[in-house]
Amino acid sequence: MIMYGKWSMLFGNYKGKIFDYKGNELFLIKKKINIWKLKVNYFITDKWGKSLEIYGKNKKHSIYVLKIDENIFELKLHKGNKKSLFYNNTQIAAIDEAIFLGKTTIITKSLEYLSEIFLMLFCLKIGENNKGITFNFGYIGKMEPIDLNWKP
């Protein structure tokens, strides 16, 4: 195990934390839902106290953006259970979730960005209930196109 996360909800406020394998806190996350604008934002504080934000780039909620200094990470959701992660417009990871919740496969050679990859995936999981047997058929409807030829 390299990293793990925990989330909780109290009075409609979602909070999450990501830890390294030693139990040191890497990120503190607050999920904010704006029902009137149909937007979800994630406000993050890293272990050095730096403030970050993950936000939806489009109305379909199929692209999420994280800016760190001049660098941009984009998580694109595809039809089904597939996701792609881009760093400054270059794909660095492919993600696939099993139809049974609980198993996620991340394919990447960009280990230097592993904490950002995990952070973006974990944020989208905050608020999901994983109790009992659950089937995840993924995103349905029109989502982002996927590059089936991408290799790490």
Side-chain angles (χ1 to χ4, degrees), residues 117-129:
I117 294 168
F118 188 82
L119 172 64
M120 293 192 81
L121 288 174
F122 180 75
C123 282
L124 294 184
K125 296 293 182 191
I126 293 175
E128 283 189 5
N129 186 357

mmCIF file with all atom_site columns, all heavy atoms in Angstrom, residues 117-129:
data_model
loop_
_atom_site.group_PDB
_atom_site.id
_atom_site.type_symbol
_atom_site.label_atom_id
_atom_site.label_alt_id
_atom_site.label_comp_id
_atom_site.label_asym_id
_atom_site.label_entity_id
_atom_site.label_seq_id
_atom_site.pdbx_PDB_ins_code
_atom_site.Cartn_x
_atom_site.Cartn_y
_atom_site.Cartn_z
_atom_site.occupancy
_atom_site.B_iso_or_equiv
_atom_site.pdbx_formal_charge
_atom_site.auth_seq_id
_atom_site.auth_comp_id
_atom_site.auth_asym_id
_atom_site.auth_atom_id
_atom_site.pdbx_PDB_model_num
ATOM 1   N N   . ILE A 1 117 ? -2.649  11.609 -9.120  1.00 0.00 ? 117 ILE A N   1
ATOM 2   C CA  . ILE A 1 117 ? -3.571  10.634 -9.714  1.00 0.00 ? 117 ILE A CA  1
ATOM 3   C C   . ILE A 1 117 ? -4.515  10.113 -8.630  1.00 0.00 ? 117 ILE A C   1
ATOM 4   O O   . ILE A 1 117 ? -5.736  10.099 -8.793  1.00 0.00 ? 117 ILE A O   1
ATOM 5   C CB  . ILE A 1 117 ? -2.795  9.466  -10.373 1.00 0.00 ? 117 ILE A CB  1
ATOM 6   C CG1 . ILE A 1 117 ? -1.988  9.978  -11.582 1.00 0.00 ? 117 ILE A CG1 1
ATOM 7   C CG2 . ILE A 1 117 ? -3.743  8.343  -10.784 1.00 0.00 ? 117 ILE A CG2 1
ATOM 8   C CD1 . ILE A 1 117 ? -0.984  8.976  -12.123 1.00 0.00 ? 117 ILE A CD1 1
ATOM 9   N N   . PHE A 1 118 ? -3.932  9.684  -7.505  1.00 0.00 ? 118 PHE A N   1
ATOM 10  C CA  . PHE A 1 118 ? -4.749  9.162  -6.407  1.00 0.00 ? 118 PHE A CA  1
ATOM 11  C C   . PHE A 1 118 ? -5.688  10.232 -5.860  1.00 0.00 ? 118 PHE A C   1
ATOM 12  O O   . PHE A 1 118 ? -6.855  9.957  -5.589  1.00 0.00 ? 118 PHE A O   1
ATOM 13  C CB  . PHE A 1 118 ? -3.840  8.611  -5.293  1.00 0.00 ? 118 PHE A CB  1
ATOM 14  C CG  . PHE A 1 118 ? -4.601  7.886  -4.222  1.00 0.00 ? 118 PHE A CG  1
ATOM 15  C CD1 . PHE A 1 118 ? -4.982  6.571  -4.401  1.00 0.00 ? 118 PHE A CD1 1
ATOM 16  C CD2 . PHE A 1 118 ? -4.934  8.521  -3.046  1.00 0.00 ? 118 PHE A CD2 1
ATOM 17  C CE1 . PHE A 1 118 ? -5.696  5.897  -3.421  1.00 0.00 ? 118 PHE A CE1 1
ATOM 18  C CE2 . PHE A 1 118 ? -5.650  7.861  -2.050  1.00 0.00 ? 118 PHE A CE2 1
ATOM 19  C CZ  . PHE A 1 118 ? -6.029  6.546  -2.249  1.00 0.00 ? 118 PHE A CZ  1
ATOM 20  N N   . LEU A 1 119 ? -5.194  11.459 -5.716  1.00 0.00 ? 119 LEU A N   1
ATOM 21  C CA  . LEU A 1 119 ? -6.015  12.556 -5.210  1.00 0.00 ? 119 LEU A CA  1
ATOM 22  C C   . LEU A 1 119 ? -7.246  12.772 -6.085  1.00 0.00 ? 119 LEU A C   1
ATOM 23  O O   . LEU A 1 119 ? -8.368  12.865 -5.578  1.00 0.00 ? 119 LEU A O   1
ATOM 24  C CB  . LEU A 1 119 ? -5.184  13.843 -5.140  1.00 0.00 ? 119 LEU A CB  1
ATOM 25  C CG  . LEU A 1 119 ? -5.942  15.125 -4.815  1.00 0.00 ? 119 LEU A CG  1
ATOM 26  C CD1 . LEU A 1 119 ? -6.549  15.065 -3.409  1.00 0.00 ? 119 LEU A CD1 1
ATOM 27  C CD2 . LEU A 1 119 ? -5.017  16.337 -4.938  1.00 0.00 ? 119 LEU A CD2 1
ATOM 28  N N   . MET A 1 120 ? -7.060  12.838 -7.388  1.00 0.00 ? 120 MET A N   1
ATOM 29  C CA  . MET A 1 120 ? -8.196  13.099 -8.276  1.00 0.00 ? 120 MET A CA  1
ATOM 30  C C   . MET A 1 120 ? -9.203  11.949 -8.254  1.00 0.00 ? 120 MET A C   1
ATOM 31  O O   . MET A 1 120 ? -10.413 12.174 -8.218  1.00 0.00 ? 120 MET A O   1
ATOM 32  C CB  . MET A 1 120 ? -7.711  13.398 -9.686  1.00 0.00 ? 120 MET A CB  1
ATOM 33  C CG  . MET A 1 120 ? -6.941  14.724 -9.741  1.00 0.00 ? 120 MET A CG  1
ATOM 34  S SD  . MET A 1 120 ? -6.619  15.322 -11.391 1.00 0.00 ? 120 MET A SD  1
ATOM 35  C CE  . MET A 1 120 ? -8.211  16.077 -11.776 1.00 0.00 ? 120 MET A CE  1
ATOM 36  N N   . LEU A 1 121 ? -8.715  10.722 -8.250  1.00 0.00 ? 121 LEU A N   1
ATOM 37  C CA  . LEU A 1 121 ? -9.631  9.572  -8.190  1.00 0.00 ? 121 LEU A CA  1
ATOM 38  C C   . LEU A 1 121 ? -10.369 9.518  -6.865  1.00 0.00 ? 121 LEU A C   1
ATOM 39  O O   . LEU A 1 121 ? -11.573 9.277  -6.818  1.00 0.00 ? 121 LEU A O   1
ATOM 40  C CB  . LEU A 1 121 ? -8.862  8.270  -8.406  1.00 0.00 ? 121 LEU A CB  1
ATOM 41  C CG  . LEU A 1 121 ? -8.364  8.015  -9.808  1.00 0.00 ? 121 LEU A CG  1
ATOM 42  C CD1 . LEU A 1 121 ? -7.493  6.774  -9.840  1.00 0.00 ? 121 LEU A CD1 1
ATOM 43  C CD2 . LEU A 1 121 ? -9.529  7.868  -10.760 1.00 0.00 ? 121 LEU A CD2 1
ATOM 44  N N   . PHE A 1 122 ? -9.643  9.754  -5.776  1.00 0.00 ? 122 PHE A N   1
ATOM 45  C CA  . PHE A 1 122 ? -10.258 9.699  -4.449  1.00 0.00 ? 122 PHE A CA  1
ATOM 46  C C   . PHE A 1 122 ? -11.342 10.766 -4.299  1.00 0.00 ? 122 PHE A C   1
ATOM 47  O O   . PHE A 1 122 ? -12.401 10.489 -3.735  1.00 0.00 ? 122 PHE A O   1
ATOM 48  C CB  . PHE A 1 122 ? -9.191  9.857  -3.361  1.00 0.00 ? 122 PHE A CB  1
ATOM 49  C CG  . PHE A 1 122 ? -9.758  9.812  -1.972  1.00 0.00 ? 122 PHE A CG  1
ATOM 50  C CD1 . PHE A 1 122 ? -10.158 8.617  -1.413  1.00 0.00 ? 122 PHE A CD1 1
ATOM 51  C CD2 . PHE A 1 122 ? -9.905  10.974 -1.233  1.00 0.00 ? 122 PHE A CD2 1
ATOM 52  C CE1 . PHE A 1 122 ? -10.697 8.572  -0.134  1.00 0.00 ? 122 PHE A CE1 1
ATOM 53  C CE2 . PHE A 1 122 ? -10.445 10.943 0.046   1.00 0.00 ? 122 PHE A CE2 1
ATOM 54  C CZ  . PHE A 1 122 ? -10.843 9.732  0.596   1.00 0.00 ? 122 PHE A CZ  1
ATOM 55  N N   . CYS A 1 123 ? -11.099 11.967 -4.798  1.00 0.00 ? 123 CYS A N   1
ATOM 56  C CA  . CYS A 1 123 ? -12.097 13.032 -4.682  1.00 0.00 ? 123 CYS A CA  1
ATOM 57  C C   . CYS A 1 123 ? -13.425 12.611 -5.303  1.00 0.00 ? 123 CYS A C   1
ATOM 58  O O   . CYS A 1 123 ? -14.488 12.876 -4.738  1.00 0.00 ? 123 CYS A O   1
ATOM 59  C CB  . CYS A 1 123 ? -11.596 14.326 -5.322  1.00 0.00 ? 123 CYS A CB  1
ATOM 60  S SG  . CYS A 1 123 ? -10.421 15.219 -4.282  1.00 0.00 ? 123 CYS A SG  1
ATOM 61  N N   . LEU A 1 124 ? -13.382 11.943 -6.448  1.00 0.00 ? 124 LEU A N   1
ATOM 62  C CA  . LEU A 1 124 ? -14.629 11.509 -7.086  1.00 0.00 ? 124 LEU A CA  1
ATOM 63  C C   . LEU A 1 124 ? -15.329 10.408 -6.298  1.00 0.00 ? 124 LEU A C   1
ATOM 64  O O   . LEU A 1 124 ? -16.522 10.173 -6.473  1.00 0.00 ? 124 LEU A O   1
ATOM 65  C CB  . LEU A 1 124 ? -14.369 11.037 -8.512  1.00 0.00 ? 124 LEU A CB  1
ATOM 66  C CG  . LEU A 1 124 ? -13.903 12.117 -9.486  1.00 0.00 ? 124 LEU A CG  1
ATOM 67  C CD1 . LEU A 1 124 ? -13.788 11.537 -10.888 1.00 0.00 ? 124 LEU A CD1 1
ATOM 68  C CD2 . LEU A 1 124 ? -14.825 13.322 -9.497  1.00 0.00 ? 124 LEU A CD2 1
ATOM 69  N N   . LYS A 1 125 ? -14.608 9.741  -5.412  1.00 0.00 ? 125 LYS A N   1
ATOM 70  C CA  . LYS A 1 125 ? -15.189 8.673  -4.592  1.00 0.00 ? 125 LYS A CA  1
ATOM 71  C C   . LYS A 1 125 ? -15.807 9.185  -3.293  1.00 0.00 ? 125 LYS A C   1
ATOM 72  O O   . LYS A 1 125 ? -16.570 8.467  -2.655  1.00 0.00 ? 125 LYS A O   1
ATOM 73  C CB  . LYS A 1 125 ? -14.123 7.619  -4.252  1.00 0.00 ? 125 LYS A CB  1
ATOM 74  C CG  . LYS A 1 125 ? -13.590 6.901  -5.444  1.00 0.00 ? 125 LYS A CG  1
ATOM 75  C CD  . LYS A 1 125 ? -14.673 6.063  -6.037  1.00 0.00 ? 125 LYS A CD  1
ATOM 76  C CE  . LYS A 1 125 ? -14.200 5.272  -7.222  1.00 0.00 ? 125 LYS A CE  1
ATOM 77  N NZ  . LYS A 1 125 ? -15.315 4.659  -7.930  1.00 0.00 ? 125 LYS A NZ  1
ATOM 78  N N   . ILE A 1 126 ? -15.481 10.407 -2.900  1.00 0.00 ? 126 ILE A N   1
ATOM 79  C CA  . ILE A 1 126 ? -16.027 10.943 -1.650  1.00 0.00 ? 126 ILE A CA  1
ATOM 80  C C   . ILE A 1 126 ? -17.544 11.018 -1.759  1.00 0.00 ? 126 ILE A C   1
ATOM 81  O O   . ILE A 1 126 ? -18.085 11.602 -2.683  1.00 0.00 ? 126 ILE A O   1
ATOM 82  C CB  . ILE A 1 126 ? -15.438 12.334 -1.335  1.00 0.00 ? 126 ILE A CB  1
ATOM 83  C CG1 . ILE A 1 126 ? -13.955 12.217 -1.016  1.00 0.00 ? 126 ILE A CG1 1
ATOM 84  C CG2 . ILE A 1 126 ? -16.182 12.996 -0.169  1.00 0.00 ? 126 ILE A CG2 1
ATOM 85  C CD1 . ILE A 1 126 ? -13.259 13.537 -0.808  1.00 0.00 ? 126 ILE A CD1 1
ATOM 86  N N   . GLY A 1 127 ? -18.219 10.388 -0.834  1.00 0.00 ? 127 GLY A N   1
ATOM 87  C CA  . GLY A 1 127 ? -19.676 10.392 -0.822  1.00 0.00 ? 127 GLY A CA  1
ATOM 88  C C   . GLY A 1 127 ? -20.300 9.113  -1.341  1.00 0.00 ? 127 GLY A C   1
ATOM 89  O O   . GLY A 1 127 ? -21.495 8.902  -1.187  1.00 0.00 ? 127 GLY A O   1
ATOM 90  N N   . GLU A 1 128 ? -19.504 8.236  -1.948  1.00 0.00 ? 128 GLU A N   1
ATOM 91  C CA  . GLU A 1 128 ? -20.047 6.963  -2.416  1.00 0.00 ? 128 GLU A CA  1
ATOM 92  C C   . GLU A 1 128 ? -20.217 6.021  -1.233  1.00 0.00 ? 128 GLU A C   1
ATOM 93  O O   . GLU A 1 128 ? -19.395 5.982  -0.334  1.00 0.00 ? 128 GLU A O   1
ATOM 94  C CB  . GLU A 1 128 ? -19.115 6.310  -3.441  1.00 0.00 ? 128 GLU A CB  1
ATOM 95  C CG  . GLU A 1 128 ? -19.205 6.928  -4.803  1.00 0.00 ? 128 GLU A CG  1
ATOM 96  C CD  . GLU A 1 128 ? -18.437 6.121  -5.840  1.00 0.00 ? 128 GLU A CD  1
ATOM 97  O OE1 . GLU A 1 128 ? -17.912 5.022  -5.524  1.00 0.00 ? 128 GLU A OE1 1
ATOM 98  O OE2 . GLU A 1 128 ? -18.366 6.600  -6.972  1.00 0.00 ? 128 GLU A OE2 1
ATOM 99  N N   . ASN A 1 129 ? -21.257 5.238  -1.265  1.00 0.00 ? 129 ASN A N   1
ATOM 100 C CA  . ASN A 1 129 ? -21.521 4.263  -0.213  1.00 0.00 ? 129 ASN A CA  1
ATOM 101 C C   . ASN A 1 129 ? -21.122 2.890  -0.734  1.00 0.00 ? 129 ASN A C   1
ATOM 102 O O   . ASN A 1 129 ? -21.682 2.410  -1.698  1.00 0.00 ? 129 ASN A O   1
ATOM 103 C CB  . ASN A 1 129 ? -23.002 4.289  0.169   1.00 0.00 ? 129 ASN A CB  1
ATOM 104 C CG  . ASN A 1 129 ? -23.296 3.400  1.346   1.00 0.00 ? 129 ASN A CG  1
ATOM 105 O OD1 . ASN A 1 129 ? -22.426 2.719  1.866   1.00 0.00 ? 129 ASN A OD1 1
ATOM 106 N ND2 . ASN A 1 129 ? -24.541 3.402  1.778   1.00 0.00 ? 129 ASN A ND2 1
#
